[in-house]
Amino acid sequence: MIGSYVAVGDSFTEGVGDPGPDGAFVGWADRFAVLLADRRPEGDFDYTNLAVRGKLLDQIVTDQLPRAKELAPDLVSLCAGGNDILRPGSDPDEVAERFERAVADLTSAVGAVMVTTGFDTRGVPVLKHLRGKIATYNGHVRAIADRYRCPVLDLWSLKTVQDRRAWDGDRLHLSPEGHTRVALRAGQVLGIEIPADPDQPWPPLPPRGTFEVRRDDIHWAREYLVPWIGRRLRGESSGDRVVAKGSLSPDDIKMRIDSAV
């Protein structure tokens, strides 16, 4: 019976790709918070989302962990290191060492820490070349979870997010349905009752021709890949002027989800 939850991380946990009716993002962590709150008496659940898009592991440790420890919730979800792994020349072994220090710090101050692995990027342009680095980092994350007895939200094994409908147009962030399936998987990890199966197959799609695939790839490269590379070259982050969502009401999250349907 978790009575308080704090979400820590980057764009994935902020909810990028899952806009509510006002344009602000919802995301898997907010949706997961609703699942947890539904198991408590009304008004007897505290939720805070500290995640900010584009943040590196050390920035998350510096900016978000102190607040998470101060709140001392029953549960913290920690998803960090992904943006570090995407950087050229990064070493997943070294990133994992810093991640373990963060986990050790958190577990000394909060009830439980749920860690997440990275997605399998086999079908993602550009990122598929980083699949080996991501897999190496994931191995470290699972070993760290074993050492500190952390539940693991294993995104690599969530095969239904291999479908392109699980992803936003930028191919880097989940769609609303993708975020929903991750929230359901998080519920499974903690053994709570969930309203749907995250592994439920998608309806079949009509086949796409070579021309259509190529057209979509060109559009994606122009609209998303080139600006993303440009930000990296300029040393900019998508989260430079973004403020964390902070404390949120599960009832308000429910209303925003229902309004966006």
Side-chain angles (χ1 to χ4, degrees):
M1 296 295 289
I2 296 168
S4 51
Y5 166 44
V6 173
V8 170
D10 51 29
S11 60
F12 168 62
T13 302
E14 185 188 343
V16 175
D18 184 13
D22 55 357
F25 296 115
V26 183
W28 76 269
D30 292 9
R31 294 173 180 271
F32 176 52
V34 170
L35 294 177
L36 294 174
D38 284 346
R39 298 171 58 83
R40 303 285 298 186
E42 187 172 355
D44 186 27
F45 185 81
D46 295 318
Y47 170 55
T48 303
N49 191 319
L50 302 175
V52 175
R53 70 197 75 168
K55 295 303 181 182
L56 299 169
L57 173 57
D58 288 348
Q59 294 172 317
I60 292 170
V61 169
T62 299
D63 299 337
Q64 301 177 31
L65 259 61
R67 179 57 177 155
K69 292 193 296 180
E70 179 184 329
L71 291 169
D74 297 329
L75 175 69
V76 170
S77 63
L78 174 62
C79 181
N83 288 322
D84 299 70
I85 298 299
L86 294 181
R87 295 209 159 191
S90 61
D91 179 357
D93 300 329
E94 185 275 331
V95 176
E97 290 177 2
R98 291 187 280 123
F99 182 80
E100 180 161 8
R101 290 196 290 270
V103 171
D105 189 24
L106 266 180
T107 53
S108 68
V110 305
V113 178
M114 180 171 66
V115 299
T116 66
T117 68
F119 292 101
D120 185 349
T121 57
R122 74 176 76 179
V124 183
V126 181
L127 297 187
K128 64 184 178 182
H129 302 294
L130 300 174
R131 192 175 182 231
K133 288 175 65 175
I134 296 169
T136 299
Y137 187 62
N138 285 351
H140 284 300
V141 169
R142 294 188 188 96
I144 292 165
D146 286 344
R147 287 194 286 273
Y148 293 89
R149 299 183 180 180
C150 299
V152 179
L153 176 53
D154 186 2
L155 304 176
W156 185 280
S157 68
L158 186 57
K159 299 304 182 183
T160 53
V161 296
Q162 296 297 325
D163 191 287
R164 59 187 172 89
R165 286 168 288 185
W167 294 89
D168 188 40
D170 66 4
R171 304 185 184 180
L172 292 172
H173 300 99
L174 294 174
S175 67
E177 178 64 21
H179 278 284
T180 298
R181 289 181 183 243
V182 170
L184 293 169
R185 174 54 59 85
Q188 279 185 333
V189 169
L190 295 188
I192 69 174
E193 185 177 349
I194 55 176
D197 182 2
D199 293 308
Q200 180 179 352
W202 295 80
L205 277 175
R208 295 196 302 161
T210 303
F211 173 79
E212 187 179 4
V213 172
R214 185 174 300 169
R215 182 196 61 195
D216 290 347
D217 287 345
I218 292 171
H219 172 77
W220 168 76
R222 183 176 61 246
E223 296 295 322
Y224 299 106
L225 179 60
V226 172
W228 182 73
I229 292 174
R231 287 197 301 272
R232 292 296 179 275
L233 294 175
R234 294 189 298 270
E236 297 176 357
S237 168
S238 57
D240 283 345
R241 289 170 290 278
V242 176
V243 177
K245 290 187 277 190
S247 179
L248 297 172
S249 161
D251 288 336
D252 289 344
I253 296 171
K254 282 183 186 178
M255 291 178 58
R256 297 181 69 240
I257 293 172
D258 292 342
S259 299
V261 173

